[in-house]
């Protein structure tokens, strides 16, 4: 009984190691690139919405106020 549990645990850890290795080889670069792109898009969105407060007139105030509810959760 104990042997089966040890084997199962060992194969589970090997499986997780292989899964992490494949993730690192295949998807890690794509994930970091997409997170970086999202960060840049959010920064641009904040600049467009809050630019009037900084003295950068990017959009007319009417459109900035319409976009404001999307910023409030942040």
């Amino acid at each position: 009984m104990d042997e089966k549990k040890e084997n199962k645990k060992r194969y589970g850890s090997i499986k997780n190691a292989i899964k992490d290795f494949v993730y690192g080889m295949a998807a890690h670069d794509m994930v970091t690139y997409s997170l970086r792109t999202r960060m840049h898009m959010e920064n641009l969105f904040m600049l467009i919405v809050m630019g009037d407060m900084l003295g950068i007139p990017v959009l007319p105030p009417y459109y900035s106020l319409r976009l404001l509810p999307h910023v409030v959760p942040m």
Side-chain angles (χ1 to χ4, degrees):
M1 214 31 134
D2 291 331
E3 248 181 71
K4 288 182 181 181
K5 288 182 181 179
E6 284 183 26
N7 285 340
K8 197 173 199 179
K9 186 176 180 181
R10 186 181 314 157
Y11 289 131
S13 65
I14 292 172
K15 181 181 172 186
N16 285 337
I18 291 171
K19 186 170 65 170
D20 290 343
F21 179 75
V22 170
Y23 168 78
M25 292 276 294
H28 180 70
D29 192 37
M30 290 184 291
V31 170
T32 55
Y33 179 75
S34 65
L35 288 174
R36 192 176 302 127
T37 303
R38 179 182 175 189
M39 178 191 67
H40 290 303
M41 287 295 191
E42 285 181 359
N43 288 341
L44 184 62
F45 181 72
M46 291 295 289
L47 176 68
I48 289 172
V49 173
M50 299 295 175
D52 292 333
M53 289 186 209
L54 299 172
I56 305 169
V58 180
L59 285 175
Y62 171 74
Y63 296 109
S64 295
L65 289 176
R66 287 192 66 189
L67 292 173
L68 189 61
H70 298 285
V71 178
V72 171
M74 292 181 191

